[in-house]
Amino acid sequence: MGCGSSKITVREHDIEGQKQNGEKPRENKVAPELGRLLSTYQLIPSFKECAELHCFADDVEKAKLLPPPVPPTTKKHEIFDINKYKKVDERAVKAPSKLLKQPLSNLVEYLTEGLEDDLSKVRAIYRWVTCQPVDSMKIPNKEPSQSHTMFQLWRIKHRKGNYAQLISLLCRFAQLPCIIIHGKLKGSTYEVGEKLDEEQHYGEWNAVLVDGNWRFINAYWGTCAEGGTEEEMWEVVDKGDGELKGDQQSRQLFYSCDENYFLTDPDQMVSTHLPSQPSWQLLANPVTEDDFTENAFLKDRFFNMNLKLKKPKKCVVMCQSETELVFEIPKERSLNLDFQHLLFRMKSTQGNLPRYDRYVFLQRTNDETLQIRVRSPVADTFRFELVGKDVTVRDKTYDYDWIAIYKLVFGKDDDSIEPFPECPIIGWGPGRAMMEFGLAPMSHFGGEIKNRDDGKIEVKFGTTSDKDWNKVKIHGELVKGGGESEPLPDHVIHRVENGDVIFNVNTPKTGEYALKLYAKGERDKEAKNICNYMITSEQKGENYAFPRGFQGGLGPKEAFNSLGLRALSHQSGMIETDEEVLEISFEKTNENIELSLSLTGNTIRPEMAKRLIEETVEGNIVTYKVRLPQTGNYGIKVMGNRGRGNENVYDYVVQYKKSHKKKSKPSQNAAPEMPKPPPEPQVQRDPRLTEYIQTMKKAIQEQNETDLELALDDLKNLGLPTVKDEIQYGETELDVMRCRRELNEATELKDMDALKSALQLTKTKNVENRLTEEVVRAKAMLDRLRNIAKLMHAVLGLDQKTIAEIRGYQHPPPAVHHVMMASLLLLGHWEEETEDWKNVQIALGKLGKDSIKRKIQELKVNDIPLDVALGARDLIRDFTLDQVRMVSAGGATFYIWVRGLTEEIEKRNAEIVHTVRPRTSQRRKEKTSLG
């Protein structure tokens, strides 16, 4: 790739003009009158073989005096610093054009004037050659004078010569030993893993003797780079975060100096250049042609970044359903290196195949390792391209470039393979965004968090800046992975504690999730995504969400200190306990402050919560005893009142897991206890028994869940085996009440997660036969919500090409125009705006948070006014799905989305829908307000 090109580019290999004329390259004549040239093939018939130098020469005896081809004693970076050769480069680039009509000797004399060392002379020659845009130069078709420099450029343009031969001639006049090397190249015509062909992959380059060491130069690859690819075999299926546009470039030549091919180190050169003469690899252990073909296809940026390949070592990877690529990163540069990927699938005519976006997961497992996992649900063949850049390079022409290219062959269909969670723009794991915000990882340093226990995860960060972290707005979001990517509210909470920022996560069940962390400083206009993790959970049970209302952060609030309070029992806002009764105490320094405490939880009703809290006050110490009914998550809010209303002073989230510890056995050395007499039967004499049973029956009759739960607790505390049946009966009725309540609440809230949870609870408790009506309603609502989600994902699944196709209409079919007007109306664009197609095109062309996909993803059904939904319905009323599909497949997807969404809104407002007038224009609202 051309250094300085702003695009991901590919190189053409050298194709000699002699081949086009039916001549063999080795019979070509290169200015024979100059003589004394060196080449690994018989450049001129009079050349003789020099066994010592492993080449052909016109003067074998003089050739024997040169050093043999052995590995150089130093690396390129040890002898060459580009900053020290700026003046040499400037003079070479500014060489007068009049030199083109003069002999090569005049050009070389100009280039090397005042230069004493060989490296400077070689540099001047390389820089002049690499700034000659031969293909775009005005070179006459008629052959120029052979004595002119222009003649050599004419030969290259008309495929009668090449850059390697030109470099050799220039070095000859500069008295620099230079050899033309021929062999096979992995250039733009090379397909990963294929066998290299003598004709198609033939090329020539140079080795120049600099200070006693042979050094490689490929002036053609260093001169022109080609932007864009003409992919006949492959189609792009995944472009990482969407910033890479290699598949959209037009085929175009760029001329710029690529420093990779000046004095290239042998280990880098052999990744793409295979000399026909093995000794000219300049390696202690030359690779074989089979190795050259099979080895991983590593590109220039791999070496520029000083990466090391750990696995796989071969460029073609055979696997079943998933494979892994691993690279070692230099630790001192880790945070400054960015990596992205492109995934291509081999084109097929066998109908529609599954989409493959989100089947790549790229992470740093630590500061020194880059891991890439690729999976496929079907047997298929892909080309995977890893690209990267160093963000500290400020050259505006510097951009992502290839690191490595692999062919991945998946050999197994596996329906259980699901996509990874959607990759955020900043990627996975702690990176620069997090460090720049002033946080450093303390618990999880890679991009993936694996949990094999209970799905409860704590992610901890240290703070590296002196900002007031209690004033920084922080929040986390958990997103379900797999085919249906959906946010899971209230599954992430956080707190700032002892200078650390801590997030707690509850994953609902086994699966893959994206944990996205956001922060908004005092000067930020909106929250920024600062870090992301993929969570892979293999938990055994299920977890509920945290209580709602605690996503703003746990622990002390702003009013806590101003009210003069001190937490005596629990300073941390996150409490884990196995005790049924939790004690929380505070000290007041102001007697006029009144405290109160509220309790929430998945199984607690407001009227029940008050009966679970007991407050005691001793002097200035306030203590609360909170009874936790059953295992689960609870929220506690402590409020303070100083005469101007309640203020939130402290938030706790309690994770309670009922203890099942067995009583410890007495020590063998301990004195034996005297046996206690068995308790006398109390059934007949305990007056409380009858009272509790009557209370239980009354609670069942009145469907009072709170009273029933307390009555059952009282019965259990009696410890009487004779009331086992009554307790079992009461618990069954309590299960029915709870399940009925959760089913009804979830149906009313139209919450997909709550519906799933309520239906699962009903099934687990085995009370579905008692709640047939509620279950039917809940399942119907769940199906409706799933349908809405399915319609949304269908729109989100449209590729950019399809949306660009709709946007590309200059005069769209009426069906398409009306569908897009209806779609945009639901998103807040009135008809007076969208009746002009240009405004529709503008809306479809927006990117980022203003893109139509993002707006659809964030749209909430309940936020759409009924009259607007009816207006959208009317806009598409005159068209059928088949009519839309005939003119636009993408338009048909939007049509189905609009129709499904408006039907759902009508169902939700069935009682009043007949009284509402459809609306598509903002004007009516304005007139009404004026009237």
Side-chain angles (χ1 to χ4, degrees):
M1 297 181 187
C3 177
S5 170
S6 63
K7 301 182 179 180
I8 297 178
T9 56
V10 295
R11 281 191 191 78
E12 286 288 337
H13 64 299
D14 293 337
I15 301 179
E16 321 312 327
Q18 299 93 320
K19 297 177 184 176
Q20 299 178 2
N21 299 328
E23 303 174 20
K24 295 182 178 180
R26 297 172 188 177
E27 295 175 354
N28 178 50
K29 295 183 178 181
V30 182
E33 69 276 6
L34 291 175
R36 286 184 291 179
L37 297 173
L38 304 170
S39 175
T40 55
Y41 62 87
Q42 197 168 13
L43 187 66
I44 299 173
S46 61
F47 275 27
K48 304 298 181 184
E49 185 173 8
C50 176
E52 290 82 358
L53 203 56
H54 302 280
C55 68
F56 290 83
D58 65 332
D59 190 331
V60 175
E61 294 304 316
K62 288 186 178 180
K64 289 180 181 180
L65 301 176
L66 297 173
V70 295
T73 57
T74 53
K75 293 282 189 178
K76 171 181 174 176
H77 71 86
E78 297 178 69
I79 65 166
F80 179 71
D81 179 354
I82 193 172
N83 295 314
K84 296 179 180 180
Y85 292 85
K86 286 184 177 180
K87 291 184 178 180
V88 174
D89 288 358
E90 289 173 2
R91 178 174 172 78
V93 170
K94 294 179 181 178
S97 58
K98 65 181 181 180
L99 292 172
L100 295 175
K101 294 184 179 181
Q102 297 178 17
L104 280 177
S105 57
N106 289 15
L107 172 64
V108 173
E109 184 179 350
Y110 167 84
L111 293 175
T112 60
E113 182 180 350
L115 302 180
E116 301 294 334
D117 60 293
D118 293 348
L119 181 51
S120 296
K121 295 176 183 178
V122 172
R123 178 65 187 180
I125 290 171
Y126 180 80
R127 230 13 229 107
W128 180 83
V129 172
T130 54
C131 73
Q132 305 305 310
V134 175
D135 283 0
S136 59
M137 287 178 70
K138 293 182 179 180
I139 299 177
N141 288 328
K142 184 179 179 182
E143 182 178 324
S145 170
Q146 293 190 15
S147 63
H148 289 173
T149 297
M150 179 65 78
F151 172 67
Q152 303 301 329
L153 302 181
W154 177 87
R155 294 182 70 249
I156 293 173
K157 184 165 185 176
H158 290 83
R159 302 295 189 259
K160 297 179 181 296
N162 60 44
Y163 281 77
Q165 295 164 2
L166 174 59
I167 288 286
S168 183
L169 289 171
L170 293 172
C171 286
R172 163 71 184 89
F173 281 107
Q175 302 298 310
L176 297 170
C178 177
I179 186 166
I180 300 171
I181 300 173
H182 79 291
K184 296 177 181 177
L185 299 175
K186 291 181 178 178
S188 65
T189 61
Y190 167 71
E191 182 56 50
V192 182
E194 72 176 352
K195 187 174 178 60
L196 281 86
D197 179 80
E198 286 282 355
E199 295 291 321
Q200 187 180 12
H201 301 106
Y202 177 84
E204 297 183 9
W205 59 100
N206 301 99
V208 180
L209 191 66
V210 178
D211 296 330
N213 288 285
W214 290 104
R215 304 280 181 179
F216 289 123
I217 288 177
N218 186 333
Y220 181 67
W221 281 26
T223 299
C224 70
E226 187 177 55
T229 60
E230 290 184 355
E231 299 298 345
E232 297 179 357
M233 294 177 58
W234 306 92
E235 62 178 336
V236 67
V237 292
D238 190 354
K239 294 186 294 181
D241 65 8
E243 292 184 354
L244 303 177
K245 299 179 175 61
D247 62 309
Q248 300 176 5
Q249 296 170 6
S250 58
R251 198 173 179 87
Q252 180 183 358
L253 282 176
F254 297 90
Y255 284 87
S256 60
C257 180
D258 189 338
E259 298 298 341
N260 284 291
Y261 293 95
F262 177 68
L263 309 185
T264 316
D265 289 326
D267 59 342
Q268 177 176 348
M269 200 70 168
V270 79
S271 66
T272 51
H273 294 61
L274 182 71
S276 295
Q277 174 53 257
S279 60
W280 278 104
Q281 295 178 27
L282 302 184
L283 293 172
N285 299 300
V287 303
T288 64
E289 184 166 345
D290 287 343
D291 289 338
F292 182 71
T293 302
E294 296 174 4
N295 284 349
F297 189 19
L298 304 176
K299 304 288 280 184
D300 307 335
R301 192 58 62 84
F302 174 88
F303 299 96
N304 299 157
M305 287 182 162
N306 297 322
L307 303 180
K308 293 181 181 178
L309 177 63
K310 300 185 79 171
K311 70 175 184 178
K313 301 293 186 180
K314 303 297 183 183
C315 62
V316 178
V317 181
M318 310 297 292
C319 54
Q320 292 299 307
S321 300
E322 183 169 327
T323 191
E324 182 182 71
L325 290 69
V326 182
F327 297 82
E328 186 177 321
I329 313 170
K331 186 173 183 178
E332 66 279 4
R333 298 177 61 190
S334 178
L335 280 179
N336 296 326
L337 302 183
D338 260 1
F339 301 94
Q340 297 293 339
H341 69 271
L342 290 165
L343 185 67
F344 297 83
R345 178 178 61 84
M346 185 171 284
K347 289 183 178 179
S348 171
T349 57
Q350 299 176 358
N352 294 326
L353 292 176
R355 292 183 55 198
Y356 289 98
D357 57 326
R358 296 200 290 123
Y359 283 95
V360 178
F361 174 69
L362 186 151
Q363 68 155 335
R364 290 175 172 86
T365 59
N366 52 47
D367 288 344
E368 300 175 355
T369 304
L370 175 71
Q371 179 201 56
I372 303 134
R373 288 161 54 195
V374 188
R375 58 174 61 153
S376 172
V378 297
D380 213 337
T381 301
F382 297 85
R383 189 176 76 199
F384 176 83
E385 300 179 356
L386 178 66
V387 299
K389 68 177 181 180
D390 185 334
V391 298
T392 61
V393 177
R394 300 304 179 189
D395 186 342
K396 62 182 180 181
T397 63
Y398 176 87
D399 207 339
Y400 288 99
D401 211 339
W402 277 310
I403 292 172
I405 302 175
Y406 286 92
K407 180 184 286 186
L408 310 179
V409 182
F410 293 89
K412 180 182 178 182
D413 290 339
D414 190 343
D415 293 337
S416 66
I417 297 296
E418 290 192 330
F420 291 107
E422 185 176 356
C423 179
I425 290 177
I426 65 170
W428 299 105
R432 285 191 315 282
M434 180 204 64
M435 296 295 289
E436 289 170 358
F437 203 83
L439 295 175
M442 296 177 67
S443 60
H444 299 85
F445 301 90
E448 182 177 16
I449 299 174
K450 294 183 178 181
N451 184 284
R452 295 183 174 86
D453 186 17
D454 55 4
K456 296 180 179 181
I457 301 158
E458 186 169 275
V459 183
K460 192 172 184 179
F461 298 91
T463 54
T464 60
S465 70
D466 57 359
K467 65 180 71 172
D468 186 349
W469 287 93
N470 288 308
K471 293 183 179 180
V472 177
K473 293 184 178 179
I474 303 171
H475 72 277
E477 180 183 47
L478 191 67
V479 180
K480 178 76 172 70
E484 295 185 4
S485 180
E486 54 181 327
L488 302 172
D490 303 310
H491 280 270
V492 185
I493 54 176
H494 78 276
R495 65 192 188 275
V496 178
E497 192 171 292
N498 299 323
D500 299 327
V501 178
I502 306 167
F503 292 86
N504 287 89
V505 185
N506 272 0
T507 54
K509 56 184 178 181
T510 296
E512 292 177 339
Y513 302 85
L515 172 60
K516 300 181 179 181
L517 307 181
Y518 297 86
K520 180 178 181 293
E522 292 179 321
R523 298 182 180 179
D524 295 328
K525 293 182 178 179
E526 57 184 27
K528 299 176 182 177
N529 180 212
I530 58 170
C531 187
N532 308 282
Y533 292 96
M534 183 178 81
I535 297 178
T536 303
S537 178
E538 298 177 6
Q539 65 199 69
K540 299 173 179 64
E542 294 189 15
N543 287 323
Y544 290 106
F546 292 109
R548 291 189 176 179
F550 292 84
Q551 278 59 51
L554 306 180
K557 301 299 178 180
E558 191 171 347
F560 180 74
N561 291 325
S562 63
L563 291 177
L565 298 174
R566 188 162 67 94
L568 299 178
S569 58
H570 296 84
Q571 280 75 39
S572 174
M574 186 71 186
I575 302 174
E576 294 185 12
T577 182
D578 60 0
E579 297 293 335
E580 184 179 357
V581 177
L582 175 69
E583 286 195 13
I584 298 177
S585 58
F586 294 90
E587 181 182 12
K588 298 190 300 181
T589 59
N590 186 341
E591 294 181 358
N592 296 322
I593 302 297
E594 292 184 3
L595 295 183
S596 60
L597 180 147
S598 63
L599 176 68
T600 57
N602 293 329
T603 60
I604 298 179
R605 297 175 73 91
E607 63 272 18
M608 176 184 176
K610 295 178 181 178
R611 301 179 62 174
L612 298 173
I613 302 169
E614 178 185 334
E615 180 188 61
T616 58
V617 179
E618 294 183 6
N620 61 345
I621 305 297
V622 181
T623 301
Y624 294 95
K625 290 184 179 181
V626 182
R627 182 175 161 197
L628 307 173
Q630 61 187 50
T631 295
N633 298 321
Y634 297 89
I636 294 176
K637 282 187 177 291
V638 181
M639 311 298 289
N641 192 326
R642 48 183 160 183
R644 57 190 189 191
N646 280 334
E647 299 175 71
N648 189 196
V649 296
Y650 226 96
D651 279 358
Y652 294 99
V653 163
V654 182
Q655 290 191 316
Y656 168 53
K657 186 174 183 180
K658 189 173 292 187
S659 176
H660 297 287
K661 296 178 181 177
K662 295 181 180 179
K663 293 184 178 180
S664 58
K665 295 181 179 180
S667 170
Q668 293 181 355
N669 298 325
E673 295 182 2
M674 293 295 292
K676 295 180 180 179
E680 296 182 11
Q682 301 180 41
V683 178
Q684 304 300 328
R685 295 184 300 163
D686 195 334
R688 294 177 296 173
L689 178 59
T690 303
E691 177 189 346
Y692 295 162
I693 290 177
Q694 288 177 347
T695 303
M696 180 185 76
K697 289 180 178 180
K698 183 180 178 182
I700 293 172
Q701 184 179 2
E702 296 177 352
Q703 292 293 289
N704 189 320
E705 187 180 327
T706 303
D707 287 350
L708 177 56
E709 185 171 359
L710 293 172
L712 283 170
D713 284 343
D714 290 336
L715 281 172
K716 292 174 185 177
N717 290 334
L718 290 177
L720 300 177
T722 55
V723 293
K724 180 179 179 182
D725 290 342
E726 284 82 357
I727 291 175
Q728 185 174 352
Y729 167 71
E731 287 183 334
T732 300
E733 292 303 311
L734 182 60
D735 287 340
V736 171
M737 287 185 199
R738 283 177 176 167
C739 291
R740 178 183 290 114
R741 172 174 54 80
E742 294 206 11
L743 287 169
N744 290 337
E745 288 178 354
T747 303
E748 185 179 346
L749 288 172
K750 302 174 183 64
D751 186 308
M752 187 181 294
D753 285 332
L755 282 165
K756 290 178 183 177
S757 177
L759 286 167
Q760 182 59 45
L761 179 64
T762 305
K763 184 177 181 181
T764 302
K765 297 297 185 180
N766 196 25
V767 294
E768 289 174 304
N769 61 328
R770 298 276 305 275
L771 299 169
T772 305
E773 185 178 336
E774 290 85 352
V775 168
V776 169
R777 285 203 308 269
K779 286 184 176 179
M781 178 56 70
L782 183 59
D783 288 341
R784 284 164 54 185
L785 294 175
R786 281 174 170 162
N787 182 53
I788 292 297
K790 182 179 179 181
L791 296 177
M792 181 189 73
H793 288 301
V795 175
L796 298 180
L798 291 174
D799 58 26
Q800 199 60 38
K801 181 179 178 183
T802 302
I803 293 178
E805 178 185 318
I806 298 173
R807 186 181 173 220
Y809 282 118
Q810 295 305 313
H811 303 286
V816 173
H817 194 167
H818 276 73
V819 166
M820 298 317 300
M821 287 174 67
S823 301
L824 291 170
L825 178 62
L826 294 174
L827 298 174
H829 298 266
W830 298 107
E831 182 179 9
E832 51 261 42
E833 173 191 351
T834 57
E835 59 189 358
D836 185 341
W837 179 250
K838 289 182 180 179
N839 291 330
V840 176
Q841 290 176 311
I842 292 171
L844 290 176
K846 290 184 177 180
L847 301 174
K849 65 179 181 180
D850 294 323
S851 70
I852 188 169
K853 283 189 178 183
R854 177 72 70 84
K855 287 189 173 183
I856 288 174
Q857 187 175 16
E858 296 175 350
L859 182 65
K860 290 180 173 56
V861 179
N862 287 337
D863 292 344
I864 302 173
L866 175 58
D867 57 350
V868 171
L870 296 178
R873 176 202 64 186
D874 287 355
L875 282 171
I876 65 171
R877 174 172 283 168
D878 295 335
F879 303 98
T880 66
L881 175 59
D882 288 338
Q883 288 175 318
V884 181
R885 187 182 284 124
M886 285 178 64
V887 293
S888 171
T893 301
F894 280 103
Y895 177 92
I896 295 171
W897 177 70
V898 172
R899 190 175 66 184
L901 204 57
T902 55
E903 287 176 355
E904 172 62 25
I905 295 171
E906 285 186 72
K907 289 178 182 177
R908 295 187 181 189
N909 298 274
E911 295 180 359
I912 62 170
V913 68
H914 64 282
T915 67
V916 177
R917 179 183 170 189
R919 179 176 172 215
T920 61
S921 172
Q922 192 176 19
R923 298 188 188 102
R924 180 160 62 86
K925 181 178 180 181
E926 292 171 350
K927 289 178 182 177
T928 302
S929 64
L930 291 173

